[in-house]
Amino acid sequence: MPFDGHGLDATFAALADPTRRAILARLAEGEASVAELAEPFAMSQPAISKHLKVLERAGLVSTGQDAQRRPRRLETQPLAQANEWLENYRKFWEARYQRLDGLLDELKALEGRARRNTRKEK
């Protein structure tokens, strides 16, 4: 599946900030208002709103409408796309480590044979 480079850029840029990651972790538990999201942080609601705008532009957060309340919710599609992109590299490195394990096993076998031959010669 081809990756949307712009979408990945926005996702990883949004995830680069620890406050935004904490907001996403909170939203993974359920919808929340800006005030609820601001509670655990030593920053103003406008500052939290700025973080939310970055998350919304990346497609990671959406805003609902519930009477006077505008709850924010987590949108998982960009995270799934980022995970899929990373998964390709995990598979790449896993294949490399398996090849390295194979080579190390061959070296151990060669070393064991060399030791046995040395003992026989003595």
Side-chain angles (χ1 to χ4, degrees):
M1 172 183 174
F3 291 101
D4 171 10
H6 175 69
L8 282 175
D9 291 349
T11 299
F12 285 118
L15 295 175
D17 185 275
T19 300
R20 291 193 286 266
R21 290 192 304 270
I23 289 171
L24 292 178
R26 167 57 186 86
L27 290 174
E29 297 171 7
E31 294 181 351
S33 67
V34 174
E36 291 167 332
L37 291 170
E39 280 178 11
F41 300 103
M43 61 179 66
S44 66
Q45 284 187 21
I48 292 295
S49 292
K50 286 182 182 177
H51 284 295
L52 285 170
K53 285 180 184 172
V54 172
L55 292 168
E56 286 173 350
R57 279 195 300 268
L60 293 161
V61 170
S62 63
T63 304
Q65 182 74 43
D66 182 18
Q68 299 298 320
R69 194 169 172 259
R70 298 187 67 206
R72 271 38 177 215
R73 71 178 60 95
L74 177 65
E75 297 295 338
T76 58
Q77 181 59 32
L79 292 173
Q81 187 180 27
N83 184 54
E84 186 179 339
W85 185 82
L86 290 170
E87 181 65 16
N88 289 331
Y89 289 97
R90 188 195 64 73
K91 289 176 184 173
F92 169 81
W93 287 112
E94 185 177 289
R96 292 287 174 125
Y97 285 126
Q98 285 176 351
R99 285 180 51 199
L100 180 60
D101 283 345
L103 287 171
L104 290 173
D105 289 344
E106 285 180 31
L107 287 174
K108 285 179 186 175
L110 287 172
E111 185 178 293
R113 275 186 247 145
R115 283 185 185 164
R116 283 191 297 274
N117 288 339
T118 302
R119 281 188 220 135
K120 287 180 185 175
E121 292 174 5
K122 286 184 181 180

